Amino acid sequence: MAFSICLLSWSATEYRNQINAADQLINLQASIRWGTNFLLKAHNTSSNTLYTQVGDANRDHQCWERPEDMDTPPTLYKITSSSPGTEPAAEAAAALAAASIVFKGVDSNYSALLLNHSKSVDKYRGSYQGSCPFYCSYSGYQDELLWGAVWLYKASGDNAYLNYASNNEGWSQAANEFSGLLYTRDSSNLQYATSASMILLVYSNILTAARVNGVQCGSVNFSTSKIKDFAKSQVDYILGNNPMKMSYMVGFGSKYPTQLHHRGASLPSIYNHSAKIGCNDGYSTWYTSSKPNPNTHVGAIVGGPNSNDQFTDSRTDYSHLEPTTYINAAFVGSVAALIGQSKEENILFTLADV
Ligand SMILES: *[C@@H]1O[C@H](CO)[C@@H](O)[C@H](O)[C@H]1NC(C)=O
Ligand SMILES: *[C@@H]1O[C@H](CO)[C@@H](O)[C@H](O)[C@H]1NC(C)=O
Ligand SMILES: *[C@@H]1O[C@H](CO)[C@@H](O)[C@H](O)[C@H]1NC(C)=O
Ligand SMILES: *[C@@H]1O[C@H](CO)[C@@H](O)[C@H](O)[C@H]1NC(C)=O
Ligand SMILES: *[C@@H]1O[C@H](CO)[C@@H](O)[C@H](O)[C@H]1NC(C)=O
């Protein structure tokens, strides 16, 4: 969640004018504030404690029930000075710092509060791997530390954070996948495609601002416009320009996934089915049903096609049918960038359509 909030905050700053022109800035700020309020509450009992998870994920994964019916244990997990978790702490620091930039000219007290929490949330070094109950880190905490440091530098202007990031630059790992649709791994691949597109569009802005026409990667030269076009091709692919001729965003276009791997969307609304649907009750009637979901989760982007650009609309296939906030959060940045471009090119494509 912290990563999603950080990406949304980045887009809100980088593409403020475009998002404002599409009348979405208030909505975006409200989404960010919802997330940062959650993080502030998770960091409220002491500056050394951050609550990192609510719920027993092992018990929870045995159920297919609606949020309204949830009856699995609301177990709380936290990191503390004696049981640290640098990955979530530094990720939260990044989100709070990035959001403090968003609110700087909007609500300066709130912005200062976010920055204060950002500075104090990550004090004790130790991998979350040692204490996490579920959804652990797979690559260590170095990437989160760099990410947190650069956002703290941007939010505070304090050179100590910049120096820290520069001195530890070697921790960053090069991302080097380029193909048709960007394909990194089979499970929820569109998260890599949306985040890479956002990065490429931001980077092309940086090149333009620095009056550089392109970048040399080994023996290949990528011009700024080629980088932009490539990122746009990813957005177009996701929205329908692909071998399956379908949109991977639910509710967009005429053909899109109808069997989202999502409990709220796949189970009937409490208004149509008021009786409780217990932990296991959702499986036989709804989870394995071949019918479309009763509820259309408009705007959700699924995991996407497999390595052969093929896609089977089947609810149980979570690698390809599950939506996540971090797929969508990165997509916001890409479409915001393209609003500006489409205006220039006079293409009829607005955030409101999405
Ligand atoms: C927790 O939140 C309350 C109310 O907003 C605030 O007064 C208090 O200072 C916070 N405590 C910490 C440790 O952040
Ligand atoms: C912001 O904080 C200052 C100093 O604590 C206080 O005087 C002011 O009333 C606050 N503004 C708002 C809008 O809460
Ligand atoms: C942030 O921290 C500074 C220094 O500790 C303190 O003076 C200030 O009141 C804090 N601001 C907020 C909004 O918590
Ligand atoms: C690649 O692009 C850069 C900057 O535009 C230029 O200086 C350089 O000569 C180009 N290299 C090749 C191999 O085309
Ligand atoms: C559920 O109820 C709502 C409101 O009464 C209605 O609009 C909708 O069509 C119903 N959906 C199904 C799948 O029956």
Side-chain angles (χ1 to χ4, degrees), residues 40 43-47 117:
L40 290 178
H43 189 229
N44 187 252
T45 51
S46 115
S47 74
H117 278 269

Side-chain angles (χ1 to χ4, degrees), residues 268-273 293-295:
S269 151
I270 52 168
Y271 298 112
N272 305 73
H273 187 287
N293 286 348
N295 309 308

Side-chain angles (χ1 to χ4, degrees), residues 88-152:
E91 193 71 62
L96 292 162
S100 88
I101 299 172
V102 173
F103 291 107
K104 213 163 235 172
V106 180
D107 181 343
S108 52
N109 287 4
Y110 189 64
S111 170
L113 182 68
L114 294 175
L115 185 56
N116 280 5
H117 278 269
S118 173
K119 285 177 180 168
S120 67
V121 69
D122 177 41
K123 279 209 206 119
Y124 296 89
R125 204 54 68 238
S127 176
Y128 193 42
Q129 205 69 32
S131 60
C132 66
F134 211 88
Y135 299 125
C136 302
S137 174
Y138 79 100
S139 62
Y141 52 66
Q142 278 93 347
D143 50 338
E144 282 89 0
L145 283 174
L146 285 181
W147 181 237
V150 293
W151 282 109
L152 267 160

Side-chain angles (χ1 to χ4, degrees), residues 299-352:
I301 302 176
V302 297
N306 67 19
S307 57
N308 295 318
D309 295 288
Q310 298 301 299
F311 181 79
T312 306
D313 192 4
S314 171
R315 191 177 296 109
T316 54
D317 181 3
Y318 54 82
S319 289
H320 305 105
L321 267 300
E322 190 164 357
T324 70
T325 55
Y326 44 86
I327 298 178
N328 270 75
F331 195 70
V332 168
S334 299
V335 287
L338 294 171
I339 290 171
Q341 228 188 26
S342 68
K343 282 232 169 82
E344 289 155 24
E345 295 167 9
N346 202 16
I347 293 170
L348 288 177
F349 177 82
T350 67
L351 193 56

Side-chain angles (χ1 to χ4, degrees), residues 130-289:
S131 60
C132 66
F134 211 88
Y135 299 125
C136 302
S137 174
Y138 79 100
S139 62
Y141 52 66
Q142 278 93 347
D143 50 338
E144 282 89 0
L145 283 174
L146 285 181
W147 181 237
V150 293
W151 282 109
L152 267 160
Y153 169 67
K154 280 183 86 82
S156 68
D158 184 340
N159 277 321
Y161 297 113
L162 181 61
N163 293 339
Y164 182 84
S166 308
N167 292 340
N168 295 299
E169 198 182 6
W171 288 344
S172 63
Q173 291 168 352
N176 55 7
E177 290 91 356
F178 268 79
S179 63
L181 173 68
L182 275 178
Y183 199 82
T184 303
R185 49 183 75 88
D186 197 43
S187 193
S188 286
N189 178 63
L190 286 187
Q191 67 185 299
Y192 310 108
T194 59
S195 52
S197 302
M198 176 176 167
I199 293 291
L200 289 170
L201 286 161
V202 171
Y203 188 57
S204 68
N205 270 359
I206 291 170
L207 292 175
T208 304
R211 297 175 193 282
V212 177
N213 294 329
V215 64
Q216 182 88 29
C217 292
S219 60
V220 189
N221 241 8
F222 293 99
S223 68
T224 307
S225 62
K226 193 170 179 187
I227 294 172
K228 265 191 201 168
D229 290 348
F230 179 75
K232 182 171 184 298
S233 77
Q234 301 298 296
V235 171
D236 290 340
Y237 184 108
I238 291 167
L239 293 180
N241 187 5
N242 57 58
M244 297 297 291
K245 300 263 172 286
M246 67 183 290
S247 159
Y248 290 106
M249 174 181 270
V250 175
F252 186 85
S254 53
K255 186 180 170 199
Y256 49 80
T258 65
Q259 294 197 28
L260 207 60
H261 182 88
H262 184 277
R263 295 177 198 186
S266 66
L267 293 164
S269 151
I270 52 168
Y271 298 112
N272 305 73
H273 187 287
S274 56
K276 181 182 166 86
I277 298 175
C279 172
N280 288 304
D281 300 344
Y283 284 112
S284 55
T285 313
W286 293 286
Y287 181 70
T288 51
S289 157

